[in-house]
């Protein structure tokens, strides 16, 4: 069992492994597959037919602008005696106009969002975590030492949050307490959101709730419907077991529902539940999640109403989803199961970092044609074809994603992945700051972490009109998902209410480098 534990340690996202080779993401920009580039251009073509019609209309308009009044008189004289030509031209114009408006996707706007900030009595320091773990009596001294080392180099600070059921002694991990945690997080975030947007709950037509590890009956979406008395025909969805990337899956689902339900609001709630998912065993691959995951959640209001564009913060430009579940290694790298003592936990495989790298590579390669400037695409595509098709030994061209995005919100799953992505994408400390500070202040809040990061960026006054933000998350399955947002207005921190505002001037903080676990 000890050997298995050592092997599993090296796979933990955010943890320095005993075998350093497992801690490195593959340089996915240096090993791109042509099929994923092709998939990206397929999205461009299939999802943007109206982009083809716009140039045609522009050319026609430019040509018409060169005609004089005499030309139009002559055209009328020719057409009034030719009913067939008039009918054909009119029909063609009506057809093109209808085709344009039918193929043009509805705009999806992010009106506002809210992140839940637990009460101060839910704060947990690293020292308290270790003391409480020792007092429980379930963990061996070796594993207590292991957890302490994980915490020291995890990137988490001293003000993260636990649910009250785990702060009491002895802990009370039961269904009733898990429901209390879920309701506290969901209602806290939704109440803030409704207060900020002044939207009547009866006007919400679509509801999507995601929580991976807690799926009671009635569902969490039903809990929201009941509490806020949503209307009887609300389209409600409850996503479970989909990991830390489920937040962007929920956004993508809401986007597609908004395309076919005009004049609608969509409420998305992203959270995770800690109460029933604390691991009390001694399998080290399952102990890592105890050290990283913390309490939190977010609520997001989307709209396809044209009138909401004026007050919305962002417009959703793209969502790209990648699923590697067909591969057995990817499927099993994050797995909920029982240990040898029949205690349930989430096991992290030693292959996790490699699997994450492959999923990220696929997702980024597919996203590239949608977002990169044409100059970057041409350079990238030319060198790719030269290397893959003509077998030329030339240095690959790595696209600069900083030319496509102003801000980066990378899932704060752990320190190691953030370090590797910073290096692979050639990002600066400024770009990584929202992700690192979210991990430090709130810990890994699963699918909601991206929204704490965006809230941090807003609180710092960095969002300007026209800025593009890239949200990227990964989770069990194995999945990697992206969303791209464009700011519709400059966000002033003076008018914002989010969990960072009362302490934003204390950030960023310096998180010192630490030695590896092996030392």
């Amino acid at each position: 069992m000890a050997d298995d534990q050592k092997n599993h340690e090296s796979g933990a996202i955010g943890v320095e492994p005993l075998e350093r080779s497992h801690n490195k993401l593959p340089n996915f920009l240096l090993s791109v597959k042509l099929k994923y580039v092709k998939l990206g251009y397929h999205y461009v073509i299939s999802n943007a037919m109206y982009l083809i019609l716009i140039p045609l209309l522009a050319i026609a308009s430019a040509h018409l602008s060169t005609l004089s009044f005499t030309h139009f008189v002559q055209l009328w004289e020719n057409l009034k005696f030719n009913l067939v030509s008039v009918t054909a031209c009119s029909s063609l114009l009506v057809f093109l106009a209808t085709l344009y408006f039918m193929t043009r996707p509805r705009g999806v706007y992010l009106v506002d969002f809210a992140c839940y900030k637990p009460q101060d009595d839910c704060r947990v320091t690293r020292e308290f975590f270790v003391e409480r773990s020792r007092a429980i009596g379930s963990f061996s001294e070796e594993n207590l030492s292991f957890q302490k080392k994980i915490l020291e180099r995890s990137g988490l600070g001293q003000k993260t949050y636990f649910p009250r059921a785990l702060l009491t002694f002895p802990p009370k991990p039961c269904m009733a307490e898990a429901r209390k945690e879920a309701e506290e997080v969901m209602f806290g975030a939704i109440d803030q959101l409704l207060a900020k947007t002044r939207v009547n709950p009866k006007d919400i037509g679509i509801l999507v709730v995601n929580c991976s590890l807690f799926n009671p009956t009635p569902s969490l979406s039903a809990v929201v419907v009941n509490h806020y008395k949503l209307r009887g025909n609300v389209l409600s969805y409850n996503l479970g077991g989909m990991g830390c990337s489920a937040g962007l899956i929920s956004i993508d689902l809401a986007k597609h529902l908004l395309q076919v339900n005009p004049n609608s609001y969509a409420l998305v709630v992203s959270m995770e539940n800690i109460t029933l998912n604390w691991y009390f065993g001694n399998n080290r691959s399952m102990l890592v999640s105890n050290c990283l995951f913390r309490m939190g959640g977010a609520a997001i209001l989307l709209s396809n109403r044209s009138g909401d564009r004026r007050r919305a913060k962002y417009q959703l430009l793209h969502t790209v989803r990648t699923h590697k579940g067909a591969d057995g290694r990817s499927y099993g790298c994050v797995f909920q199961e029982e240990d040898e003592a029949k205690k349930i936990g989430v096991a992290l495989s030693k292959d996790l970092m490699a699997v994450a790298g492959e999923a990220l590579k696929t997702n980024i390669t597919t996203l590239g044609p949608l977002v990169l400037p044409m100059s970057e695409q041409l350079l990238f595509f030319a060198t790719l074809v030269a290397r893959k098709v003509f077998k030329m030994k030339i240095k690959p061209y790595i696209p600069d994603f900083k030319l496509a995005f102003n801000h980066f919100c990378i899932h704060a799953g752990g320190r190691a992945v953030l370090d590797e992505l910073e290096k692979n994408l050639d990002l600066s400390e400024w770009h990584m700051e929202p992700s690192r500070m979210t991990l430090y202040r709130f810990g890994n809040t699963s699918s909601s972490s991206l929204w704490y990061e965006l809230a941090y960026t807003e609180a710092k006054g960095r969002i300007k009109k026209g800025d593009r933000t890239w949200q990227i998350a990964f989770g069990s399955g194995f999945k990697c998902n992206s969303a791209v947002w464009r700011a519709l207005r400059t966000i002033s921190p003076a008018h914002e209410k989010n969990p960072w505002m009362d302490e934003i001037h204390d950030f960023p903080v310096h998180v010192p480098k630490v030695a590896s676990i092996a030392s």
Side-chain angles (χ1 to χ4, degrees), residues 7 26 90 94 111 142 152 216 276 295 312 330 347 368 376 381 403 434 467 490 518:
N7 287 337
S90 301
V94 170
V111 180
E142 292 80 6
E152 289 172 350
L276 282 180
M295 183 181 183
S330 298
E376 290 293 296
F381 191 74
L403 296 177
D467 282 1
T490 298

Side-chain angles (χ1 to χ4, degrees), residues 27-41 361 364-366 368-369 372 375-399:
N27 196 331
F28 42 85
L29 292 177
L30 300 182
S31 56
V32 173
K33 294 183 179 180
L34 281 172
K35 66 178 181 179
Y36 298 129
V37 179
K38 179 181 177 182
L39 181 60
Y41 284 106
K361 178 181 71 174
I364 290 174
T365 306
T366 304
L372 287 171
S375 58
E376 290 293 296
Q377 293 192 48
L378 291 174
L379 288 171
F380 170 75
F381 191 74
T383 55
L384 183 64
V385 171
R387 295 178 70 246
K388 298 290 185 178
V389 178
F390 297 104
K391 307 299 180 181
M392 297 175 63
K393 295 182 178 180
I394 60 175
K395 184 178 180 180
Y397 181 75
I398 302 176

Side-chain angles (χ1 to χ4, degrees), residues 11 26-27 41 59 96 163 167 240 251 265 268 347 416 432 462 487 508-509 514:
N27 196 331
Y41 284 106
I59 293 172
L96 291 175
L167 295 175
I251 294 294
Y265 283 117
V268 175
M432 298 299 299
R462 297 180 178 180
V509 299
V514 293

